[in-house]
Amino acid sequence: MLDKILSTKKQEIQALTLPEQADVPYYSLKNALAAEKEKIQVIAEVKKASPSKGVIRNPFHPVEIAKSYESGGAAALSVLTDVSYFQGNRDYLTAIKKAVGLPVLRKDFIIEDIQIQESKRMGADAILLIAAALEPKKLYELYQSAEEQGLEVLVEFHSKQELENVLHVFEPAIIGINNRDLKTFETSLMVTEQLHDDVPSHSLIVSESGIHTYRDLVYVQDAGAKAVLVGESLMKQDDVEKALRHLKGA
């Protein structure tokens, strides 16, 4: 599936035009996630669909969802902008940035510099770079380009090998550990626990996938995560603000 998505993305990039620069304030994702030392933070995801599950939320009102997340105590937001496989849109991100006062991570499959320029213009505070999708040197080039353009980067890993390969080149400031196996699609929170010891001490860990309950939150916090990224389990709930508060233990 990743190969298929990346093939489509390469075609989309050929026709990509840059939007006008959005008139929005910018925020630090890392500062928001590190704000409270003893408390794990939540990046709440605005996500309509996925390739494996189809449509997750219908009707889908991204700005209303974002506002509810902000009220529910999210430290930051993640917004899907991939059109072909996740039914996202870059306009969703811009509209959300104008409506809330939280850092926003652009969740997409970024493989070329023009997408970083696009991310900045649409108002993203940070972008996602996926280790499974990029050679380590190419990933580092995009990471540096993002930083030069004032964007932070969450670098996502699925395995110890991916992490080791990238750490031979550089040490990302924010490391996402995805608990989902790309081959089997099974999820296990133990992945965060297993990779924790290999993460540089100054890097902030975000645990992704498989987070459904407050108990899950506590588990990955004990495993070394400073934040979690949660999408599907919140998107399935009628009241996402209430669901987020419940996830956080309220």
Side-chain angles (χ1 to χ4, degrees):
M1 178 57 72
L2 180 60
D3 289 341
K4 184 179 179 182
I5 291 172
L6 294 177
S7 177
T8 301
K9 196 60 59 175
K10 288 174 183 176
Q11 294 174 21
E12 292 174 355
I13 289 171
Q14 297 300 316
L16 178 61
T17 57
L18 295 174
E20 294 294 319
Q21 175 63 55
D23 184 16
V24 294
Y26 287 89
Y27 308 102
S28 169
L29 175 63
K30 187 172 184 180
N31 288 348
L33 300 183
E36 298 182 57
K37 288 185 178 181
E38 304 301 321
K39 190 175 180 182
I40 192 165
Q41 300 291 350
V42 177
I43 305 172
E45 190 157 85
V46 180
K47 174 180 178 180
K48 181 179 180 179
S50 76
S52 58
K53 300 294 176 63
V55 175
I56 298 167
R57 190 175 186 87
N58 189 28
F60 178 71
H61 303 293
V63 173
E64 290 180 16
I65 293 166
K67 288 181 176 179
S68 294
Y69 279 155
E70 185 174 36
S71 299
L77 303 177
S78 168
V79 180
L80 264 295
T81 59
D82 174 78
V83 177
S84 300
Y85 296 92
F86 291 85
Q87 297 187 34
N89 195 295
R90 69 187 187 187
D91 292 340
Y92 294 162
L93 191 149
T94 304
I96 286 169
K97 269 301 295 277
K98 290 179 178 179
V100 302
L102 298 175
V104 174
L105 168 73
R106 182 192 183 186
K107 191 87 172 284
D108 210 315
F109 299 85
I110 293 178
I111 54 176
E112 295 295 345
D113 189 74
I114 191 170
Q115 294 170 282
I116 298 175
Q117 298 173 50
E118 179 192 30
S119 302
K120 180 68 176 182
R121 289 195 181 195
M122 70 173 68
D125 299 288
I127 60 167
L128 173 74
L129 293 178
I130 304 171
L134 296 159
E135 291 294 325
K137 288 184 179 179
K138 175 70 171 180
L139 194 154
Y140 186 38
E141 288 173 6
L142 294 175
Y143 186 97
Q144 290 178 304
S145 177
E147 288 197 325
E148 288 168 2
Q149 295 178 60
L151 295 171
E152 293 179 323
V153 183
L154 189 157
V155 182
E156 179 179 287
F157 300 92
H158 295 81
S159 69
K160 181 183 179 75
Q161 188 62 59
E162 288 178 2
L163 182 60
E164 289 179 348
N165 290 345
V166 170
L167 291 181
H168 281 311
V169 179
F170 78 110
E171 297 181 351
I174 309 173
I175 286 179
I177 298 177
N178 196 319
N179 300 304
R180 178 174 289 115
D181 189 302
L182 278 180
K183 295 177 181 177
T184 65
F185 285 98
E186 293 179 359
T187 57
S188 171
L189 300 183
M190 290 181 65
V191 176
T192 295
E193 187 174 17
Q194 291 164 354
L195 295 190
H196 166 261
D197 290 343
D198 298 301
V199 174
S201 59
H202 65 270
S203 298
L204 187 150
I205 296 175
V206 179
S207 184
E208 308 171 28
S209 299
I211 317 284
H212 300 283
T213 66
Y214 177 66
R215 189 174 181 177
D216 295 336
L217 220 64
V218 172
Y219 181 93
V220 294
Q221 181 176 28
D222 291 344
K226 286 292 295 178
V228 293
L229 193 153
V230 186
E232 191 175 310
S233 65
L234 294 174
M235 285 285 87
K236 288 182 175 179
Q237 306 304 313
D238 291 334
D239 187 335
V240 296
E241 179 182 340
K242 183 179 179 181
L244 178 55
R245 291 184 185 278
H246 188 66
L247 177 68
K248 287 165 60 70

